[in-house]
Amino acid sequence: MYAYDEIDRTLVNERVSEFRDQVQRRLSGELTEDEFKMLRLQNGVYLQLHAYMFRVAIPYGTLASNQLRALAHVARKYDRGYGHFTTRQNIQFNWIKLSDLPDALADLAEVGIHAMQTSGNNMRNVTSDQWAGVAPGEIEDPRIWSELIRQHTTLHPEFSFLPRKFKIAITASDHDRAAIKVHDIGLRLIKNEKGETGFEVLVGGGLGRTPFIGKTIKHFVHGRDLLSYIEAILRVYNQYGRRDNIYKARIKILVHELGIEKFSREVEEEWQHIRHSSLEIDDEVIEDIRSRFIYPAYEKLPHMPDELRQAAADPNFEAWRKNSVASHKNPGYSIVTISLKPIGAPPGDATAEQMDALADLADKYSFGEIRVGHEQNLALPHVAKRDLPALWKALDKLGLATPNVNLITDIIACPGLDYCSLANARSIPIAQELTRRFANHELANLIGRLHINISGCINACGHHHVGHIGILGVEKNGEEVYQITIGGRADENAALGNLIGPGVKFDEVADVVEDIVEAYLALRERPDELFMDTVKRLGVEPFKERVYATR
Amino acid sequence: MPLVNGGKIADDSFVKLAVDTPLPEGGDILVPAERFVGEADALLKRAGKIGVIWPNNRDISELVPYLGKLAVVALVFPTFRDGRAYSQARLLRERYNYRGELRATGQVLRDQFVFMLRAGFDSFEVKKQADAEAFMQTAKRYSVFYQPTGDGRITALHRRMQLRHSEGVGT
Ligand code: HEM
Ligand code: SF4
């Protein structure tokens, strides 16, 4: 966990008081809606279909139990008793009153949580691997660097009015759980031949209307130069990024229009000017941040405790353990993923009661720490293996032990027409229907790892381009139509999915997905050939045939 | 539009010239970029102070040869959403060591003052009277800054270091 000190707390409080003043000026009419819009967005407040939506940052996905309780409190006191965890390691509340927002922010500030820059054309919440600091084989905890960037980008005086929003993600593992290739800047922590820490820097990835996979702009930037290099990229983008058309304003378009070579020359030139400045990070600064990440006092525990051996007799426990429990860097411990995808429910929702109960479980079994992943699931990062059976029982009682992590019902979906003012189509009901279709655990397990991603419009909040099966809602002649892609992925081999054919109607989506899955089961070479691999081997044709032959 | 300079509402001694306004005999003038670049020698010889209004899509390094002779550089925020002039301001102050008045013009509202001050602006043509009056109060809103800029304010990272070291000395 990262411990905020008095300095961080002061800033958060100053931000709350500024926002309170801004809300007051809006309510009194001193600020027009146009003027206020930018200010509220910078504090995570959107005006949605039915009400204001409030988006709270969870930097690099790490939460302390008291922070999760504070989120539960906001859900209960100012909203309708639940929150929605998102693909950006944020949580959203959908039914909040403008006049309550300053109080909600003040309550969150007490535990070091804020909503700064969760929206608006500035640098957004820095995201990272939800297993950071505990994943075996990672180079080092990427959150130390995420925190450095979080601080540097918060209320940045040059980059708070960029051409468009700007997202940075960091990973330190070979297996990329942070989707760095679909971010404006993606950072992969590596060591050079001398054993020094640095970063491969990718730029220009993103989804939305014009999806791109990020390109490597530099193979190694030393840790000490990280901030100056990022600043150079942003300065080039701020000056040359398009502002005439919001659809072309993202850095991915600038990189695409200039070409990565020309873009990187511009950045390089800028960087040489600022590289050896006060932006150079000395080891002492990094050590200071490192020292404020507090790691649990792990015990020496058996790799295979009796409790686990005994529980293995219960097939329900085993089903859950197989897909929810991952290896930890300390033997004797595990990382437990908590599915927020119960059958028939909106993906990513948690009630205030569930949040409170999870905070208690985190205190009891995970040194008070919780993680939020971009798949809209939560995780407990330090669970002793002997506690797994007890934890499972407790989660099951809360409805949080659905054994579907990484399976076909672990669906990522945006809110779509149920909440979002930009939506063209419904997303949540599609997700709900699909979870019912594939509720049978044996079948889901037989299918194996398969990610479905659903977006209610081209903005791609549900990451449909990078879903193994991607579903995009569009509007055609006043009707909701869904375009289906296959073969996308957001990991270290990130790829955009390919369209399988014409869009299908709302009622047909689940049937089409079933057809695709049946085709896969018939076409795979071996039971362990994953959906993704079959698609890679055969392309879209056989799937297209199966889906459209009878339609 | 009220002008805030040195933290206070001040009179503006500068007269803004259009591209084709005849040049007044004396007095201080603010000249659009294209006119300034075209007639720089003549303009700089004249009595009275001179400043330039520089658009946010024109390379600021073009101004470098003249910086020592300019009393004002006025940068432009065509809307408060367009932040290009923040980068220009930092380049002028931090890379090109411009020490004259750096003025923010256009859609300048109180909620931008802190950002502008940190980027190096020291004078502001403020859109609303009430915002101009609230300048000092708004400018002091923050006491913590995470990033280093040319304004020389100590960053949170370095403040922590200082605190650590002073604790170290005491024990
Ligand atoms: C409910 C109100 C929401 C609104 C109005 C909204 C708005 C938008 C817009 C306009 C974009 C397109 C930006 C672009 O790439 O050009 C976008 C993208 C995105 N949004 Fe949302 N969104 C909402 C909810 C969500 C939710 C619930 C999530 C997560 C579950 C989310 C996560 C994202 C992500 C990850 C992108 C990706 C775009 C990229 O990578 O380039 N948003 N959103
Ligand atoms: S993808 Fe579209 S419908 Fe879904 S949340 Fe984003 S903007 Fe709304």
Side-chain angles (χ1 to χ4, degrees), chain B residues 87-163:
Chain B
S87 288
Q88 291 178 316
R90 290 195 64 194
L91 289 173
L92 277 175
R93 289 293 196 215
E94 295 168 45
R95 183 163 309 161
Y96 304 124
N97 288 315
Y98 172 66
R99 291 287 159 259
E101 177 181 331
L102 185 54
R103 187 182 287 195
T105 70
Q107 294 277 334
V108 177
L109 302 170
R110 82 171 79 172
D111 304 284
Q112 296 144 279
F113 289 156
V114 174
F115 295 126
M116 289 176 169
L117 283 162
R118 300 217 60 222
F121 288 99
D122 56 0
S123 104
F124 307 83
E125 277 181 28
V126 185
K127 180 120 180 296
K128 302 179 182 179
Q129 184 69 29
D131 285 1
E133 284 160 11
F135 183 85
M136 275 322 271
Q137 187 196 337
T138 313
K140 281 191 297 202
R141 174 143 262 144
Y142 287 97
S143 64
V144 173
F145 304 97
Y146 276 132
Q147 336 51 21
T149 68
D151 71 355
R153 277 183 243 224
I154 183 162
T155 64
L157 289 171
H158 289 97
R159 172 123 49 110
R160 285 191 193 104
M161 291 298 142
Q162 285 180 345
L163 290 172

Side-chain angles (χ1 to χ4, degrees), chain A residues 190-197 220:
Chain A
I190 47 179
K191 297 258 188 207
N192 67 7
E193 326 72 66
K194 289 190 229 152
E196 295 165 320
T197 303
F220 188 83

